[in-house]
Amino acid sequence: DTAVSQTPKYLVTQMGNDKSIKCEQNLGHDTMYWYKQDSKKFLKIMFSYNNKELIINETVPNRFSPKSPDKAHLNLHINSLELGDSAVYFCASSQRRGGGVNTEAFFGQGTRLTVV
Amino acid sequence: EDQVTQSPEALRLQEGESSSLNCSYTVSGLRGLFWYRQDPGKGPEFLFTLYSAGEEKEKERLKATLTKKESFLHITAPKPEDSATYLCAVQAYGGSQGNLIFGKGTKLSVKP
Protein backbone atom coordinates (compact mmCIF):
# COMPACT_ATOMS: atom_id res chain seq x y z
CA ASP A 1 0.00 0.00 0.00
CA THR A 2 1.87 3.06 -1.30
CA ALA A 3 2.23 5.87 1.25
CA VAL A 4 2.87 8.74 -1.19
CA SER A 5 1.88 8.18 -4.79
CA GLN A 6 2.38 10.40 -7.81
CA THR A 7 1.02 10.19 -11.30
CA PRO A 8 2.21 10.05 -13.94
CA LYS A 9 5.67 8.51 -13.48
CA TYR A 10 6.80 9.83 -16.86
CA LEU A 11 5.58 12.90 -18.73
CA VAL A 12 6.85 14.02 -22.12
CA THR A 13 5.37 17.19 -23.54
CA GLN A 14 6.07 20.04 -25.88
CA MET A 15 7.18 23.53 -24.96
CA GLY A 16 4.33 25.85 -24.24
CA ASN A 17 1.93 23.17 -23.05
CA ASP A 18 0.21 23.12 -19.66
CA LYS A 19 0.46 19.97 -17.56
CA SER A 20 -0.43 18.65 -14.11
CA ILE A 21 1.13 16.11 -11.76
CA LYS A 22 -1.04 14.53 -9.10
CA CYS A 23 0.02 13.51 -5.61
CA GLU A 24 -1.83 11.65 -2.89
CA GLN A 25 -0.69 10.53 0.55
CA ASN A 26 -2.44 8.02 2.81
CA LEU A 27 -0.31 8.63 5.90
CA GLY A 28 -2.66 11.14 7.48
CA HIS A 29 0.04 13.80 7.38
CA ASP A 30 -0.87 17.48 7.54
CA THR A 31 1.99 18.90 5.48
CA MET A 32 2.80 18.19 1.86
CA TYR A 33 5.62 19.35 -0.37
CA TRP A 34 6.87 19.50 -3.92
CA TYR A 35 10.60 19.11 -4.57
CA LYS A 36 12.50 19.39 -7.84
CA GLN A 37 15.53 17.22 -8.60
CA ASP A 38 17.68 18.58 -11.39
CA SER A 39 19.99 16.75 -13.76
CA LYS A 40 22.75 16.82 -11.14
CA LYS A 41 20.42 15.04 -8.72
CA PHE A 42 20.14 18.07 -6.43
CA LEU A 43 16.83 18.16 -4.54
CA LYS A 44 15.33 21.57 -3.87
CA ILE A 45 12.08 22.58 -2.21
CA MET A 46 9.47 24.24 -4.40
CA PHE A 47 6.40 24.45 -2.16
CA SER A 48 5.14 23.38 1.20
CA TYR A 49 1.48 23.30 2.16
CA ASN A 50 -0.02 22.91 5.62
CA ASN A 51 -3.61 23.46 6.62
CA LYS A 52 -4.25 25.84 3.75
CA GLU A 53 -1.03 27.74 4.34
CA LEU A 54 1.15 27.76 1.25
CA ILE A 55 4.81 28.62 1.44
CA ILE A 56 6.44 29.24 -1.91
CA ASN A 57 10.14 29.13 -2.60
CA GLU A 58 10.81 32.56 -4.06
CA THR A 59 12.90 31.11 -6.87
CA VAL A 60 10.00 29.12 -8.32
CA PRO A 61 8.46 30.75 -11.42
CA ASN A 62 4.80 31.67 -11.09
CA ARG A 63 4.06 29.27 -13.96
CA PHE A 64 4.12 26.61 -11.25
CA SER A 65 1.12 26.45 -8.94
CA PRO A 66 0.15 23.87 -6.34
CA LYS A 67 -3.47 22.99 -5.78
CA SER A 68 -4.75 21.13 -2.74
CA PRO A 69 -8.34 19.86 -2.99
CA ASP A 70 -8.02 18.27 0.45
CA LYS A 71 -5.48 17.36 3.10
CA ALA A 72 -4.39 14.16 1.34
CA HIS A 73 -3.74 15.67 -2.08
CA LEU A 74 -1.36 18.28 -3.45
CA ASN A 75 -1.27 18.57 -7.22
CA LEU A 76 1.23 20.56 -9.24
CA HIS A 77 0.12 22.59 -12.25
CA ILE A 78 2.65 23.94 -14.69
CA ASN A 79 1.74 26.47 -17.36
CA SER A 80 3.65 27.34 -20.52
CA LEU A 81 6.27 24.63 -20.08
CA GLU A 82 9.86 25.48 -20.92
CA LEU A 83 12.85 23.29 -21.78
CA GLY A 84 14.44 24.17 -18.45
CA ASP A 85 11.50 22.67 -16.57
CA SER A 86 12.73 19.20 -17.50
CA ALA A 87 13.55 17.46 -14.22
CA VAL A 88 12.22 14.90 -11.77
CA TYR A 89 9.52 16.25 -9.47
CA PHE A 90 8.91 14.63 -6.10
CA CYS A 91 5.94 14.95 -3.85
CA ALA A 92 6.44 14.37 -0.12
CA SER A 93 4.53 14.57 3.13
CA SER A 94 5.27 14.90 6.82
CA GLN A 95 3.50 15.64 10.09
CA ARG A 96 3.89 18.82 12.10
CA ARG A 97 4.76 18.27 15.75
CA GLY A 98 5.01 20.63 18.69
CA GLY A 99 7.61 23.36 18.62
CA GLY A 100 7.34 23.74 14.87
CA VAL A 101 9.23 20.54 14.16
CA ASN A 102 8.07 18.28 11.36
CA THR A 103 8.63 14.56 11.32
CA GLU A 104 10.63 12.91 8.58
CA ALA A 105 9.25 13.39 5.10
CA PHE A 106 8.11 10.46 3.00
CA PHE A 107 8.59 10.80 -0.73
CA GLY A 108 6.74 9.59 -3.76
CA GLN A 109 8.51 7.75 -6.57
CA GLY A 110 8.89 10.89 -8.67
CA THR A 111 7.62 12.18 -11.99
CA ARG A 112 10.19 12.53 -14.74
CA LEU A 113 9.12 15.52 -16.84
CA THR A 114 10.73 15.97 -20.23
CA VAL A 115 9.93 19.08 -22.23
CA VAL A 116 10.79 18.88 -25.93
CA GLU B 1 22.30 31.10 4.33
CA ASP B 2 21.56 27.54 5.44
CA GLN B 3 23.75 25.05 3.64
CA VAL B 4 24.49 21.34 3.54
CA THR B 5 27.66 19.89 2.04
CA GLN B 6 28.26 16.19 1.54
CA SER B 7 31.53 14.44 0.86
CA PRO B 8 32.78 12.59 -0.99
CA GLU B 9 30.61 12.99 -4.08
CA ALA B 10 31.23 9.37 -4.98
CA LEU B 11 32.67 6.44 -3.07
CA ARG B 12 33.64 3.03 -4.34
CA LEU B 13 34.10 0.25 -1.83
CA GLN B 14 34.79 -3.43 -1.96
CA GLU B 15 32.27 -5.63 -0.22
CA GLY B 16 33.16 -5.72 3.47
CA GLU B 17 35.25 -2.55 3.36
CA SER B 18 33.85 -0.19 6.00
CA SER B 19 33.83 3.56 5.50
CA SER B 20 32.06 6.80 6.41
CA LEU B 21 30.13 9.48 4.55
CA ASN B 22 30.27 13.06 5.76
CA CYS B 23 27.57 15.72 5.93
CA SER B 24 28.59 19.15 7.17
CA TYR B 25 25.96 21.80 7.72
CA THR B 26 25.66 25.51 8.37
CA VAL B 27 22.25 26.50 9.69
CA SER B 28 20.87 29.24 11.89
CA GLY B 29 19.53 26.58 14.24
CA LEU B 30 19.15 22.86 13.70
CA ARG B 31 15.75 21.30 14.23
CA GLY B 32 16.75 17.95 12.81
CA LEU B 33 19.17 16.21 10.47
CA PHE B 34 17.88 13.49 8.17
CA TRP B 35 19.57 10.75 6.19
CA TYR B 36 17.91 9.29 3.13
CA ARG B 37 18.84 6.62 0.65
CA GLN B 38 17.91 7.05 -3.01
CA ASP B 39 18.03 4.26 -5.57
CA PRO B 40 18.02 5.08 -9.31
CA GLY B 41 14.56 5.98 -10.57
CA LYS B 42 13.05 6.09 -7.09
CA GLY B 43 12.22 8.62 -4.44
CA PRO B 44 14.38 9.16 -1.36
CA GLU B 45 13.80 6.55 1.33
CA PHE B 46 14.01 7.69 4.94
CA LEU B 47 16.80 6.19 7.08
CA PHE B 48 17.42 8.26 10.22
CA THR B 49 16.62 11.46 12.07
CA LEU B 50 19.07 13.03 14.51
CA TYR B 51 18.10 15.98 16.67
CA SER B 52 20.98 16.83 18.98
CA ALA B 53 24.76 16.60 19.12
CA GLY B 54 25.95 13.29 20.47
CA GLU B 55 22.94 11.39 19.22
CA GLU B 56 23.47 8.13 17.34
CA LYS B 57 21.10 5.88 15.42
CA GLU B 58 21.72 2.43 13.95
CA LYS B 59 20.03 0.26 11.38
CA GLU B 60 21.63 -2.94 10.15
CA ARG B 61 25.03 -1.98 8.69
CA LEU B 62 24.39 1.77 8.97
CA LYS B 63 25.10 4.05 11.88
CA ALA B 64 24.47 7.80 11.88
CA THR B 65 26.12 10.22 14.30
CA LEU B 66 25.74 13.95 14.87
CA THR B 67 27.96 16.75 16.14
CA LYS B 68 27.29 20.48 16.21
CA LYS B 69 28.78 20.91 12.75
CA GLU B 70 28.47 17.61 10.93
CA SER B 71 26.99 14.18 10.70
CA PHE B 72 28.57 10.92 9.65
CA LEU B 73 26.96 7.88 8.13
CA HIS B 74 29.14 4.90 8.96
CA ILE B 75 28.77 1.81 6.81
CA THR B 76 30.13 -1.36 8.35
CA ALA B 77 30.99 -4.32 6.11
CA PRO B 78 28.88 -3.05 3.21
CA LYS B 79 27.20 -5.34 0.71
CA PRO B 80 26.45 -4.68 -2.97
CA GLU B 81 22.82 -3.99 -2.08
CA ASP B 82 23.97 -0.96 -0.08
CA SER B 83 24.87 0.73 -3.38
CA ALA B 84 22.78 3.88 -3.68
CA THR B 85 22.99 7.63 -3.34
CA TYR B 86 22.87 8.75 0.28
CA LEU B 87 21.32 12.14 0.92
CA CYS B 88 21.68 14.30 3.99
CA ALA B 89 19.12 17.01 4.75
CA VAL B 90 18.51 19.50 7.54
CA GLN B 91 15.42 21.11 8.91
CA ALA B 92 16.34 24.53 10.25
CA TYR B 93 14.79 26.99 12.66
CA GLY B 94 13.45 29.84 10.63
CA GLY B 95 12.76 27.45 7.81
CA SER B 96 9.18 26.97 6.75
CA GLN B 97 6.95 24.08 7.68
CA GLY B 98 9.60 21.41 7.92
CA ASN B 99 11.20 22.12 4.55
CA LEU B 100 14.32 20.08 4.07
CA ILE B 101 17.57 21.53 2.78
CA PHE B 102 19.41 18.77 0.98
CA GLY B 103 23.04 18.16 0.22
CA LYS B 104 24.04 16.93 -3.21
CA GLY B 105 24.46 13.38 -2.02
CA THR B 106 27.17 10.74 -1.97
CA LYS B 107 26.90 8.03 -4.59
CA LEU B 108 28.07 4.78 -3.02
CA SER B 109 29.07 1.77 -5.12
CA VAL B 110 29.90 -1.50 -3.41
CA LYS B 111 31.61 -4.11 -5.56
CA PRO B 112 31.41 -7.82 -4.76
Side-chain angles (χ1 to χ4, degrees), chain A residues 1 5-6 9-10 18 27 45 65-68 70 77 88 91 96 99 103 106:
Chain A
D1 194 20
S5 59
Q6 301 176 224
K9 188 170 171 64
Y10 300 98
D18 302 337
L27 297 167
I45 185 73
S65 58
K67 299 273 194 283
S68 180
D70 56 57
H77 297 267
V88 182
C91 177
R96 178 170 285 183
T103 63
F106 289 84

Side-chain angles (χ1 to χ4, degrees), chain A residues 32-33 45-50 53-55, chain B residues 96-97 99:
Chain A
M32 295 185 73
Y33 312 84
I45 185 73
M46 298 178 71
F47 305 101
S48 60
Y49 194 88
N50 172 280
E53 182 187 8
L54 175 66
I55 304 293
Chain B
S96 300
Q97 298 191 132
N99 294 357

Side-chain angles (χ1 to χ4, degrees), chain A residues 9 31 33 35 37 42-43 45 48-50 53 55 90 96 100-102 104-105 107-108, chain B residues 31 34 36 38 41-44 46 49 51 87 91 93 96-100 102-104:
Chain A
K9 188 170 171 64
T31 308
Y33 312 84
Y35 284 84
Q37 190 168 46
F42 187 42
L43 265 168
I45 185 73
S48 60
Y49 194 88
N50 172 280
E53 182 187 8
I55 304 293
F90 287 98
R96 178 170 285 183
V101 178
N102 278 61
E104 63 274 11
F107 285 78
Chain B
R31 279 186 169 155
F34 301 81
Y36 285 84
Q38 187 174 23
K42 296 191 176 180
F46 171 71
T49 310
Y51 291 107
L87 300 168
Q91 193 180 122
Y93 281 103
S96 300
Q97 298 191 132
N99 294 357
L100 296 175
F102 278 88
K104 294 187 177 180

